[in-house]
Amino acid sequence: MSNGTDLGPADRSRSARTAAIALCKGLGVPGSYHVTSPSGRLSFDSATFDVIISSSVFTHLPEATANATLAELSRVAAPDCLLIRSSSDLGEARMPTGDVPSLRPFVLNNDLYDLSEPPHLWNIDGIDVGETATTVQGWSLPHGGNPLNRALVVNGHSFELTPADPLLEYSRIYPWCPNAIFSGFRVSIPHKVLDVRLADEVTFACGPIEGDVGGRPQYLLSVLRRDLNFEIPDTTISARIGVEQTLHYTMYGRSIFNGLDASLRTATRRSFADFTTIVDWGCGSGRVARHVGLAGLSADQKLIGFDIDAEAVAWANAAIGPHFRVSSIDPPLDVANGSVDLVYAYSVLTHLAERLAGSWVREMGRAISPGGIFAFTVLSETAMIALLPMMDRQDLLLWRKQGILDSMENAQLESMGVAGSYYRNVWMTKAFIKSLLRPEFELVSLVPSFHFYQDLVVARRRG
Ligand SMILES: C[S@@+](CC[C@H](N)C(=O)[O-])C[C@H]1O[C@@H](n2cnc3c(N)ncnc32)[C@H](O)[C@@H]1O
């Protein structure tokens, strides 16, 4: 059933639409056609329909009419009805004033994935410390489509989130999440409730107030007071890792370090302090490695960062300490066989073509001692679900079949003369990751949503 037929310009008269419906009938398109009344009231009983399709209709409705139409659609929708709306409609969708309709949105390629437990993605974009309160601004996908069912937990204190102004980009990127347009939030934390100025570390967690996130672990974002005094590299260097804001550079570095430490502890019962020779492969400007150093390396511990970005490595050596070395696009690393007991790599194998990924895993097998750990992030199921509608269907099918998808160039390293023909966005299935690791490594753990939609692989060197 369609609640209207848009055949073109928005100013078509109602009689023209009536004629279009008549035309569908005349063409013998199966179904029954009804001219709806301008009041929006549909002449059907409540809970009649299992599927409702609307293409480019909400785009043309003023807010009050859109809300009334959504309310009417939810009346005639049976429980768990599928609402199919075009992406332009999703982009323009208005938040219903009453209860949020329990309608599942239509998503391109949704037959390929179970969208009942999508990742709960969120971010902090600004922290502003005022005289009486701290204002935190960010975005969080509305859980189950309800923009009011979200809380930000800051150092154990829970704050309900009220939606900020509509932001179209979220509904474009995440059309599988109803009301993603209301992802933006701003929350005020009175100093008398929680004075973040006095806290050494501020940790944010975001999630639904009611319901859960399907057993997925939740990433946390943290920042330490002392982190805020750190020098950070200029934007030419930080843009190569896709980060533009100072807060994001600082907070993500700390959060990735904390997340790695926690995941290592869970998967291997060892934390950073328990490894002797630690390699940060693809360290960039030491965004994560600086925290390994700050955690306090003991006299018998060594940290080495390797990267092909000579400028970032020089900056890290000057700003952090002499831990960093320039390495080549191809193996080997300048370390002796079996001399390393932990290699971690944040968002490096996410960028390498299959042949190079294979030769680097073999190289890690050479460098890491038996029992040692290789922890690296991947674009896998979580990233695929998150970006599902943006992916080409043929690519998705190919990914399923081959286990690896390498169809996109990444231009982030072009400022240092490394082209997208080398630097890619590469997606791997869990089965592919397992086969990539063989024979040197066994998969110990795959942590979904480790940091946004990058998953973390923890692998142990056999031997
Ligand atoms: C997305 S960035 C992540 C940087 C760093 N891990 C961080 O989290 O800040 C990917 C990094 O991998 C580096 N890279 C790419 N190919 C590499 C290779 N073959 N060997 C070492 N580093 C490489 C890039 O120069 C870049 O610094």
Side-chain angles (χ1 to χ4, degrees):
M1 178 256 177
S2 163
N3 73 335
T5 311
D6 181 8
L7 296 174
D11 62 354
R12 284 235 169 125
S13 68
R14 186 159 176 271
S15 61
R17 281 192 225 115
T18 309
I21 290 171
L23 183 64
C24 284
K25 282 185 191 170
L27 287 173
V29 179
S32 81
Y33 299 89
H34 303 262
V35 179
T36 53
S37 81
S39 74
R41 176 84 188 168
L42 300 172
S43 52
F44 293 96
D45 292 337
S46 298
T48 300
F49 297 102
D50 296 322
V51 180
I52 298 177
I53 302 171
S54 121
S55 174
S56 222
V57 178
F58 284 90
T59 332
H60 304 297
L61 302 183
E63 185 163 354
T65 316
N67 286 338
T69 306
L70 266 177
E72 179 61 358
L73 289 180
S74 36
R75 184 186 68 79
V76 296
D80 215 20
C81 169
L82 182 69
L83 173 64
I84 302 180
R85 294 188 294 184
S86 64
S87 55
S88 59
D89 270 359
L90 287 166
E92 295 293 322
R94 309 296 207 284
M95 183 163 65
T97 44
D99 288 345
V100 177
S102 62
L103 303 171
R104 283 194 293 132
F106 174 73
V107 173
L108 280 177
N109 303 315
N110 76 348
D111 54 320
L112 298 178
Y113 285 89
D114 175 9
L115 283 167
S116 59
E117 291 187 357
H120 182 88
L121 299 166
W122 59 279
N123 196 7
I124 302 292
D125 290 325
I127 303 172
D128 185 24
V129 180
E131 265 180 34
T132 57
T134 298
T135 305
V136 178
Q137 170 230 321
W139 64 271
S140 154
L141 293 179
H143 186 71
N146 184 350
L148 303 177
N149 183 19
R150 299 175 291 171
L152 184 70
V153 179
V154 188
N155 283 11
H157 296 256
S158 184
F159 299 91
E160 285 184 23
L161 303 180
T162 35
D165 292 342
L167 292 167
L168 207 58
E169 62 182 296
Y170 297 106
S171 51
R172 290 219 175 99
I173 303 172
Y174 306 113
W176 42 263
C177 180
N179 285 320
I181 195 168
F182 295 105
S183 290
F185 68 76
R186 188 179 286 273
V187 62
S188 175
I189 303 173
H191 294 329
K192 59 178 190 265
V193 175
L194 172 66
D195 194 341
V196 299
R197 296 170 302 181
L198 306 177
D200 285 336
E201 178 164 12
V202 182
T203 297
F204 302 96
C206 192
I209 300 166
E210 280 171 29
D212 58 32
V213 283
R216 285 173 175 274
Q218 279 285 277
Y219 59 87
L220 305 175
L221 295 178
S222 305
V223 67
L224 259 63
R225 191 141 46 114
R226 67 175 176 183
D227 294 349
L228 299 173
N229 301 323
F230 287 169
E231 189 188 346
I232 75 157
D234 68 37
T235 46
T236 323
I237 294 177
S238 62
R240 288 191 204 128
I241 59 169
V243 175
E244 276 146 31
Q245 267 195 40
T246 305
L247 173 68
H248 284 168
Y249 184 95
T250 307
M251 185 169 65
Y252 296 168
R254 166 64 64 186
S255 308
I256 294 165
F257 167 76
N258 283 355
L260 278 170
D261 203 42
S263 301
L264 285 172
R265 216 171 294 187
T266 307
T268 71
R269 300 188 190 285
R270 295 156 86 187
S271 66
F272 273 106
D274 301 312
F275 294 92
T276 306
T277 302
I278 302 169
V279 164
D280 181 334
W281 176 55
C283 60
S285 50
R287 174 175 66 152
V288 179
R290 77 184 329 156
H291 301 289
V292 180
L294 276 171
L297 292 171
S298 64
D300 62 345
Q301 276 189 303
K302 191 157 75 173
L303 165 68
I304 315 170
F306 288 103
D307 203 287
I308 57 172
D309 184 343
E311 206 183 341
V313 165
W315 184 89
N317 278 327
I320 301 172
H323 304 288
F324 304 93
R325 303 186 202 165
V326 179
S327 54
S328 302
I329 273 176
D330 287 297
L333 286 182
D334 183 17
V335 291
N337 293 356
S339 61
V340 178
D341 53 358
L342 171 65
V343 175
Y344 69 91
Y346 180 78
S347 198
V348 184
L349 279 176
T350 51
H351 295 297
L352 302 192
E354 184 171 0
R355 182 194 64 77
L356 261 170
S359 46
W360 274 108
V361 173
R362 305 285 78 76
E363 170 61 2
M364 295 312 170
R366 178 194 70 78
I368 297 175
S369 52
I373 299 296
F374 182 24
F376 56 94
T377 58
V378 287
L379 294 173
S380 193
E381 294 286 345
T382 311
M384 243 348 155
I385 293 174
L387 300 179
L388 189 58
M390 330 271 279
M391 306 297 287
D392 181 274
R393 188 174 179 85
Q394 291 313 315
D395 279 351
L396 281 167
L397 294 172
L398 201 67
W399 186 64
R400 281 271 177 88
K401 196 165 154 217
Q402 301 185 339
I404 182 163
L405 174 65
D406 169 15
S407 65
M408 276 179 236
E409 300 200 342
N410 184 312
Q412 274 167 356
L413 299 188
E414 277 178 359
S415 66
M416 59 183 231
V418 174
S421 51
Y422 163 74
Y423 203 60
R424 325 279 303 160
N425 289 339
V426 179
W427 315 68
M428 297 175 185
T429 61
K430 186 173 179 181
F432 183 88
I433 294 162
K434 277 185 168 172
S435 69
L436 184 69
L437 290 170
R438 279 194 291 266
E440 294 92 345
F441 294 95
E442 62 170 317
L443 178 66
V444 181
S445 161
L446 201 148
V447 183
S449 232
F450 164 75
H451 187 66
F452 300 102
Y453 43 69
Q454 296 215 15
D455 297 339
L456 178 75
V457 175
V458 181
R460 184 181 288 112
R461 177 76 170 92
R462 295 177 199 272

